[in-house]
Amino acid sequence: MKAYRDQHFLIDQRAVDRIADLVEIKNREVLEIGPGNGVLTKALLECGAVVHAIELDRELCNGLGEQFAKEIAAGKLTLIHGDATRCDLPPFSIVVSNLPYSISSKITFRLLNIGFEVAVLMYQSEFAKRMIAPAGTKDCGRLSIMVQTYATVQKCFELPPNCFSPKPQVHSMVVKLIPRPPIFFVKDHKRYADVARALFSHRRKTVKNCLKGSKGMLNPEWVDRVLTVLPNEILSSRPEELYLEDFATISNIE
Ligand code: SAM
């Protein structure tokens, strides 16, 4: 059964401590998305972080307010009742979260857009594997391209379902994301993102046919120019066969 609001709570204290220890957080502003019953929040506070936690579930939020009343009064914890995909986010430089899996993609794009120093995030394993999948392999998708263009991704460790209550049906993986500028020239970041989106919305087609079918998403005149300029080697490939730089080669065309 799917848990309400992805509420699979970590019950393995060793796993909680390992997550909190993956990054130096003493006296740093840490964002936690989905604190749930506060098991990770407590570990982050014990490591000396100043925590800003956003929780969607009002009842859980009320419980956290009582559990951490002292830390809130001392200015060590700010508790926000809201949806992390859309509410205003407090200032932060580090993110440490056991993410609600249904918002993994949305929140990852949002965080990368806003910018941060380092993030330690727990995802569903399959999702994390797709994020890490190198360009040119069949698991690679829009998420892999966008994350790997703008960040270094490190796989930290995997957790089995019995680390949680209720048990999810899938394994989870903790990943470290460290944003950095692209390692190749990207002229227009919006167009780069639009090209990745357009190509992966038809991943089984060739790049040529993807582009022809994406004139609603991309400027049609620009697409016509791209089709005449782009080498046949790229035009005849499928999006999942392209290297990361190929997305820049396409989107950098004037
Ligand atoms: N951090 C806790 C732990 O490790 O045990 C709970 C993690 S649980 C996987 C995800 C939490 O995110 C739940 O408490 C859920 O209520 C909350 N949540 C779900 N959707 C959310 C959203 N859009 N914004 C903020 N919190 C959300």
Side-chain angles (χ1 to χ4, degrees), residues 113-134:
N113 231 355
I114 293 170
F116 52 88
E117 214 172 279
V118 50
V120 171
L121 301 171
M122 190 191 296
Y123 295 101
Q124 196 172 319
S125 279
E126 284 312 307
F127 182 94
K129 282 178 190 158
R130 275 189 278 126
M131 200 159 89
I132 295 167

PDB file of all heavy atoms in Angstrom, residues 113-134:
ATOM      1  N   ASN A 113      17.874  24.935  -9.087  1.00  0.00           N
ATOM      2  CA  ASN A 113      17.564  26.269  -9.592  1.00  0.00           C
ATOM      3  C   ASN A 113      17.924  27.355  -8.593  1.00  0.00           C
ATOM      4  O   ASN A 113      18.474  28.389  -8.953  1.00  0.00           O
ATOM      5  CB  ASN A 113      16.053  26.327  -9.845  1.00  0.00           C
ATOM      6  CG  ASN A 113      15.773  26.833 -11.216  1.00  0.00           C
ATOM      7  OD1 ASN A 113      16.683  27.227 -11.933  1.00  0.00           O
ATOM      8  ND2 ASN A 113      14.510  26.822 -11.590  1.00  0.00           N
ATOM      9  N   ILE A 114      17.600  27.107  -7.327  1.00  0.00           N
ATOM     10  CA  ILE A 114      17.852  28.099  -6.274  1.00  0.00           C
ATOM     11  C   ILE A 114      19.349  28.162  -5.962  1.00  0.00           C
ATOM     12  O   ILE A 114      19.917  29.223  -5.767  1.00  0.00           O
ATOM     13  CB  ILE A 114      17.061  27.721  -4.992  1.00  0.00           C
ATOM     14  CG1 ILE A 114      15.564  27.848  -5.251  1.00  0.00           C
ATOM     15  CG2 ILE A 114      17.478  28.578  -3.813  1.00  0.00           C
ATOM     16  CD1 ILE A 114      14.710  27.281  -4.140  1.00  0.00           C
ATOM     17  N   GLY A 115      19.991  26.980  -5.914  1.00  0.00           N
ATOM     18  CA  GLY A 115      21.424  26.923  -5.599  1.00  0.00           C
ATOM     19  C   GLY A 115      21.660  26.605  -4.132  1.00  0.00           C
ATOM     20  O   GLY A 115      20.864  26.983  -3.265  1.00  0.00           O
ATOM     21  N   PHE A 116      22.708  25.858  -3.858  1.00  0.00           N
ATOM     22  CA  PHE A 116      23.090  25.482  -2.494  1.00  0.00           C
ATOM     23  C   PHE A 116      24.538  25.006  -2.559  1.00  0.00           C
ATOM     24  O   PHE A 116      25.122  24.892  -3.648  1.00  0.00           O
ATOM     25  CB  PHE A 116      22.163  24.372  -1.952  1.00  0.00           C
ATOM     26  CG  PHE A 116      22.061  23.181  -2.873  1.00  0.00           C
ATOM     27  CD1 PHE A 116      22.965  22.135  -2.776  1.00  0.00           C
ATOM     28  CD2 PHE A 116      21.086  23.114  -3.856  1.00  0.00           C
ATOM     29  CE1 PHE A 116      22.884  21.045  -3.644  1.00  0.00           C
ATOM     30  CE2 PHE A 116      21.012  22.028  -4.728  1.00  0.00           C
ATOM     31  CZ  PHE A 116      21.917  20.993  -4.618  1.00  0.00           C
ATOM     32  N   GLU A 117      25.106  24.747  -1.389  1.00  0.00           N
ATOM     33  CA  GLU A 117      26.518  24.330  -1.340  1.00  0.00           C
ATOM     34  C   GLU A 117      26.645  22.818  -1.521  1.00  0.00           C
ATOM     35  O   GLU A 117      27.433  22.329  -2.317  1.00  0.00           O
ATOM     36  CB  GLU A 117      27.040  24.707   0.040  1.00  0.00           C
ATOM     37  CG  GLU A 117      28.465  25.114   0.098  1.00  0.00           C
ATOM     38  CD  GLU A 117      28.756  25.646   1.479  1.00  0.00           C
ATOM     39  OE1 GLU A 117      28.441  26.831   1.755  1.00  0.00           O
ATOM     40  OE2 GLU A 117      29.279  24.869   2.289  1.00  0.00           O
ATOM     41  N   VAL A 118      25.859  22.101  -0.727  1.00  0.00           N
ATOM     42  CA  VAL A 118      25.870  20.638  -0.820  1.00  0.00           C
ATOM     43  C   VAL A 118      24.524  20.100  -0.316  1.00  0.00           C
ATOM     44  O   VAL A 118      23.915  20.695   0.579  1.00  0.00           O
ATOM     45  CB  VAL A 118      27.082  20.033  -0.038  1.00  0.00           C
ATOM     46  CG1 VAL A 118      27.181  20.567   1.345  1.00  0.00           C
ATOM     47  CG2 VAL A 118      27.048  18.509   0.007  1.00  0.00           C
ATOM     48  N   ALA A 119      24.083  19.009  -0.911  1.00  0.00           N
ATOM     49  CA  ALA A 119      22.826  18.391  -0.460  1.00  0.00           C
ATOM     50  C   ALA A 119      23.045  16.900  -0.247  1.00  0.00           C
ATOM     51  O   ALA A 119      23.681  16.235  -1.064  1.00  0.00           O
ATOM     52  CB  ALA A 119      21.722  18.607  -1.495  1.00  0.00           C
ATOM     53  N   VAL A 120      22.530  16.406   0.870  1.00  0.00           N
ATOM     54  CA  VAL A 120      22.522  14.961   1.135  1.00  0.00           C
ATOM     55  C   VAL A 120      21.050  14.565   1.092  1.00  0.00           C
ATOM     56  O   VAL A 120      20.257  15.000   1.933  1.00  0.00           O
ATOM     57  CB  VAL A 120      23.143  14.649   2.512  1.00  0.00           C
ATOM     58  CG1 VAL A 120      22.931  13.192   2.870  1.00  0.00           C
ATOM     59  CG2 VAL A 120      24.629  15.000   2.518  1.00  0.00           C
ATOM     60  N   LEU A 121      20.685  13.793   0.076  1.00  0.00           N
ATOM     61  CA  LEU A 121      19.263  13.516  -0.149  1.00  0.00           C
ATOM     62  C   LEU A 121      19.012  12.028  -0.275  1.00  0.00           C
ATOM     63  O   LEU A 121      19.795  11.313  -0.917  1.00  0.00           O
ATOM     64  CB  LEU A 121      18.807  14.212  -1.439  1.00  0.00           C
ATOM     65  CG  LEU A 121      18.979  15.732  -1.467  1.00  0.00           C
ATOM     66  CD1 LEU A 121      18.704  16.285  -2.858  1.00  0.00           C
ATOM     67  CD2 LEU A 121      18.055  16.402  -0.458  1.00  0.00           C
ATOM     68  N   MET A 122      17.918  11.581   0.325  1.00  0.00           N
ATOM     69  CA  MET A 122      17.548  10.179   0.161  1.00  0.00           C
ATOM     70  C   MET A 122      16.431  10.081  -0.877  1.00  0.00           C
ATOM     71  O   MET A 122      15.425  10.794  -0.802  1.00  0.00           O
ATOM     72  CB  MET A 122      17.077   9.575   1.468  1.00  0.00           C
ATOM     73  CG  MET A 122      16.936   8.062   1.314  1.00  0.00           C
ATOM     74  SD  MET A 122      16.095   7.309   2.666  1.00  0.00           S
ATOM     75  CE  MET A 122      17.198   7.649   3.989  1.00  0.00           C
ATOM     76  N   TYR A 123      16.674   9.206  -1.864  1.00  0.00           N
ATOM     77  CA  TYR A 123      15.712   8.975  -2.942  1.00  0.00           C
ATOM     78  C   TYR A 123      15.368   7.495  -2.983  1.00  0.00           C
ATOM     79  O   TYR A 123      16.096   6.653  -2.459  1.00  0.00           O
ATOM     80  CB  TYR A 123      16.328   9.308  -4.295  1.00  0.00           C
ATOM     81  CG  TYR A 123      16.705  10.740  -4.538  1.00  0.00           C
ATOM     82  CD1 TYR A 123      18.023  11.162  -4.419  1.00  0.00           C
ATOM     83  CD2 TYR A 123      15.749  11.661  -4.936  1.00  0.00           C
ATOM     84  CE1 TYR A 123      18.386  12.473  -4.693  1.00  0.00           C
ATOM     85  CE2 TYR A 123      16.101  12.979  -5.209  1.00  0.00           C
ATOM     86  CZ  TYR A 123      17.421  13.372  -5.084  1.00  0.00           C
ATOM     87  OH  TYR A 123      17.766  14.670  -5.361  1.00  0.00           O
ATOM     88  N   GLN A 124      14.334   7.173  -3.724  1.00  0.00           N
ATOM     89  CA  GLN A 124      14.069   5.794  -4.093  1.00  0.00           C
ATOM     90  C   GLN A 124      15.278   5.355  -4.941  1.00  0.00           C
ATOM     91  O   GLN A 124      15.754   6.126  -5.795  1.00  0.00           O
ATOM     92  CB  GLN A 124      12.808   5.821  -4.941  1.00  0.00           C
ATOM     93  CG  GLN A 124      12.150   4.509  -5.109  1.00  0.00           C
ATOM     94  CD  GLN A 124      10.807   4.697  -5.811  1.00  0.00           C
ATOM     95  OE1 GLN A 124      10.065   5.638  -5.513  1.00  0.00           O
ATOM     96  NE2 GLN A 124      10.494   3.828  -6.721  1.00  0.00           N
ATOM     97  N   SER A 125      15.786   4.120  -4.704  1.00  0.00           N
ATOM     98  CA  SER A 125      17.015   3.684  -5.387  1.00  0.00           C
ATOM     99  C   SER A 125      16.942   3.805  -6.904  1.00  0.00           C
ATOM    100  O   SER A 125      17.893   4.254  -7.543  1.00  0.00           O
ATOM    101  CB  SER A 125      17.336   2.235  -5.045  1.00  0.00           C
ATOM    102  OG  SER A 125      17.974   2.201  -3.817  1.00  0.00           O
ATOM    103  N   GLU A 126      15.802   3.375  -7.485  1.00  0.00           N
ATOM    104  CA  GLU A 126      15.690   3.399  -8.946  1.00  0.00           C
ATOM    105  C   GLU A 126      15.810   4.824  -9.474  1.00  0.00           C
ATOM    106  O   GLU A 126      16.431   5.076 -10.501  1.00  0.00           O
ATOM    107  CB  GLU A 126      14.339   2.800  -9.392  1.00  0.00           C
ATOM    108  CG  GLU A 126      14.295   1.285  -9.302  1.00  0.00           C
ATOM    109  CD  GLU A 126      15.526   0.620  -9.921  1.00  0.00           C
ATOM    110  OE1 GLU A 126      15.821   0.930 -11.081  1.00  0.00           O
ATOM    111  OE2 GLU A 126      16.197  -0.171  -9.231  1.00  0.00           O
ATOM    112  N   PHE A 127      15.214   5.757  -8.734  1.00  0.00           N
ATOM    113  CA  PHE A 127      15.268   7.173  -9.119  1.00  0.00           C
ATOM    114  C   PHE A 127      16.721   7.658  -9.061  1.00  0.00           C
ATOM    115  O   PHE A 127      17.218   8.292  -9.987  1.00  0.00           O
ATOM    116  CB  PHE A 127      14.384   7.984  -8.164  1.00  0.00           C
ATOM    117  CG  PHE A 127      14.319   9.444  -8.469  1.00  0.00           C
ATOM    118  CD1 PHE A 127      13.297   9.952  -9.269  1.00  0.00           C
ATOM    119  CD2 PHE A 127      15.265  10.330  -7.968  1.00  0.00           C
ATOM    120  CE1 PHE A 127      13.230  11.311  -9.551  1.00  0.00           C
ATOM    121  CE2 PHE A 127      15.203  11.683  -8.256  1.00  0.00           C
ATOM    122  CZ  PHE A 127      14.181  12.173  -9.049  1.00  0.00           C
ATOM    123  N   ALA A 128      17.408   7.310  -7.954  1.00  0.00           N
ATOM    124  CA  ALA A 128      18.808   7.749  -7.795  1.00  0.00           C
ATOM    125  C   ALA A 128      19.680   7.154  -8.895  1.00  0.00           C
ATOM    126  O   ALA A 128      20.567   7.822  -9.426  1.00  0.00           O
ATOM    127  CB  ALA A 128      19.324   7.343  -6.418  1.00  0.00           C
ATOM    128  N   LYS A 129      19.410   5.892  -9.249  1.00  0.00           N
ATOM    129  CA  LYS A 129      20.217   5.247 -10.297  1.00  0.00           C
ATOM    130  C   LYS A 129      20.034   5.962 -11.637  1.00  0.00           C
ATOM    131  O   LYS A 129      20.976   6.116 -12.399  1.00  0.00           O
ATOM    132  CB  LYS A 129      19.848   3.761 -10.422  1.00  0.00           C
ATOM    133  CG  LYS A 129      20.481   2.944  -9.311  1.00  0.00           C
ATOM    134  CD  LYS A 129      20.088   1.485  -9.378  1.00  0.00           C
ATOM    135  CE  LYS A 129      20.560   0.788  -8.099  1.00  0.00           C
ATOM    136  NZ  LYS A 129      19.817  -0.439  -7.818  1.00  0.00           N
ATOM    137  N   ARG A 130      18.792   6.394 -11.894  1.00  0.00           N
ATOM    138  CA  ARG A 130      18.555   7.126 -13.152  1.00  0.00           C
ATOM    139  C   ARG A 130      19.283   8.478 -13.129  1.00  0.00           C
ATOM    140  O   ARG A 130      19.800   8.941 -14.123  1.00  0.00           O
ATOM    141  CB  ARG A 130      17.055   7.339 -13.364  1.00  0.00           C
ATOM    142  CG  ARG A 130      16.408   6.130 -14.041  1.00  0.00           C
ATOM    143  CD  ARG A 130      14.987   6.422 -14.459  1.00  0.00           C
ATOM    144  NE  ARG A 130      14.089   6.259 -13.329  1.00  0.00           N
ATOM    145  CZ  ARG A 130      13.244   7.177 -12.896  1.00  0.00           C
ATOM    146  NH1 ARG A 130      13.160   8.339 -13.491  1.00  0.00           N
ATOM    147  NH2 ARG A 130      12.472   6.956 -11.860  1.00  0.00           N
ATOM    148  N   MET A 131      19.313   9.084 -11.931  1.00  0.00           N
ATOM    149  CA  MET A 131      19.968  10.385 -11.804  1.00  0.00           C
ATOM    150  C   MET A 131      21.470  10.267 -12.070  1.00  0.00           C
ATOM    151  O   MET A 131      22.094  11.130 -12.656  1.00  0.00           O
ATOM    152  CB  MET A 131      19.724  10.877 -10.375  1.00  0.00           C
ATOM    153  CG  MET A 131      19.905  12.325 -10.199  1.00  0.00           C
ATOM    154  SD  MET A 131      19.026  12.822  -8.710  1.00  0.00           S
ATOM    155  CE  MET A 131      20.300  12.580  -7.538  1.00  0.00           C
ATOM    156  N   ILE A 132      22.044   9.138 -11.651  1.00  0.00           N
ATOM    157  CA  ILE A 132      23.482   8.912 -11.776  1.00  0.00           C
ATOM    158  C   ILE A 132      23.846   8.345 -13.151  1.00  0.00           C
ATOM    159  O   ILE A 132      24.992   8.437 -13.586  1.00  0.00           O
ATOM    160  CB  ILE A 132      23.932   7.927 -10.655  1.00  0.00           C
ATOM    161  CG1 ILE A 132      23.738   8.570  -9.288  1.00  0.00           C
ATOM    162  CG2 ILE A 132      25.376   7.502 -10.820  1.00  0.00           C
ATOM    163  CD1 ILE A 132      23.845   7.603  -8.132  1.00  0.00           C
ATOM    164  N   ALA A 133      22.853   7.769 -13.856  1.00  0.00           N
ATOM    165  CA  ALA A 133      23.133   7.082 -15.136  1.00  0.00           C
ATOM    166  C   ALA A 133      23.898   7.994 -16.089  1.00  0.00           C
ATOM    167  O   ALA A 133      23.449   9.102 -16.387  1.00  0.00           O
ATOM    168  CB  ALA A 133      21.824   6.647 -15.778  1.00  0.00           C
ATOM    169  N   PRO A 134      25.069   7.542 -16.566  1.00  0.00           N
ATOM    170  CA  PRO A 134      25.844   8.397 -17.472  1.00  0.00           C
ATOM    171  C   PRO A 134      25.101   8.629 -18.779  1.00  0.00           C
ATOM    172  O   PRO A 134      24.368   7.750 -19.244  1.00  0.00           O
ATOM    173  CB  PRO A 134      27.127   7.587 -17.723  1.00  0.00           C
ATOM    174  CG  PRO A 134      27.111   6.452 -16.776  1.00  0.00           C
ATOM    175  CD  PRO A 134      25.707   6.241 -16.327  1.00  0.00           C
TER     176      PRO A 134
END
